[in-house]
Amino acid sequence: MAQRKRSSSSTYVVTRPVSHLETFPSPTKNVFTVEFTTEEFTCLCPLTGQPDFAHLTIRYQPKRRCLESKALKLYLWSYRDRGAFHEAVTNQILDDCFKAAQPRWMRIEGDFLIRGGIRTVVIAERGHKQ
C-alpha cells in the first residue's frame, strides 16, 4: 500500500509508488474508448541501469470496470526503479491493466526515446475492439 502523510488541508498525499491497480464500475453499458497518455514514463535499462524515458499511451474499451487514473499513475511510477527491456515492460503493463479492468479491448503503446540512435516503439494489444 502507498505510504501517505497528512497535508496541511487534512487530506492524505501519496508519497510512494504502488504496484497494484484500482478500478471502478463503468458508468454505462455503451461501447466507448478511454485513452490515457503520459510523457513521463520511466524505467531502467536492465543492462546499463540508465533511465529509459517513454511516451506511453493506453487505450481500452471498458466492459464492466474502468481503470482509476490516480491508481494508474502510481502504478506507472512503480517502474522508475525497475530494470526492464522495452518489450517486456510494455507487455507487463498490458497484462496488469487487462487483468485489473477486464476490458473488451486494450492497446498499450510505448514510444521510447532515442538511445544510441535507435528509437523503439512497442505496441501490445489484447481483446477485440468494437
Side-chain angles (χ1 to χ4, degrees):
M1 189 86 179
Q3 295 217 336
R4 298 169 188 244
K5 64 180 179 180
R6 283 193 169 242
S7 70
S8 59
S9 63
S10 296
T11 59
Y12 287 96
V13 177
V14 176
T15 60
R16 292 184 168 237
V18 297
S19 59
H20 68 278
L21 291 158
E22 296 177 22
T23 62
F24 61 91
S26 178
T28 181
K29 291 184 180 187
N30 295 338
V31 175
F32 63 101
T33 301
V34 176
E35 181 174 307
F36 294 113
T37 61
T38 181
E39 295 182 10
E40 299 177 357
F41 179 79
T42 59
C43 60
L44 298 176
C45 172
L47 299 177
T48 66
Q50 298 280 327
D52 284 327
F53 300 89
H55 178 177
L56 197 68
T57 302
I58 300 170
R59 288 184 193 92
Y60 73 104
Q61 291 180 328
K63 195 183 297 182
R64 293 183 188 93
R65 310 286 307 163
C66 294
L67 291 170
E68 198 280 316
S69 60
K70 184 175 181 180
L72 177 62
K73 177 181 111 171
L74 296 173
Y75 164 80
L76 293 174
W77 184 14
S78 76
Y79 281 92
R80 282 196 180 161
D81 296 324
R82 289 196 222 175
F85 290 107
H86 301 157
E87 298 82 357
V89 73
T90 304
N91 278 281
Q92 185 63 56
I93 293 168
L94 174 66
D95 291 346
D96 292 345
C97 289
F98 200 91
K99 181 179 178 183
Q102 299 179 351
R104 290 178 170 90
W105 165 81
M106 182 174 280
R107 175 186 168 114
I108 312 287
E109 182 174 325
D111 185 353
F112 291 83
L113 297 185
I114 294 173
R115 185 176 258 227
I118 297 175
R119 180 182 197 147
T120 305
V121 178
V122 180
I123 300 169
E125 190 170 337
R126 188 188 286 182
H128 302 286
K129 188 174 182 180
Q130 292 185 3

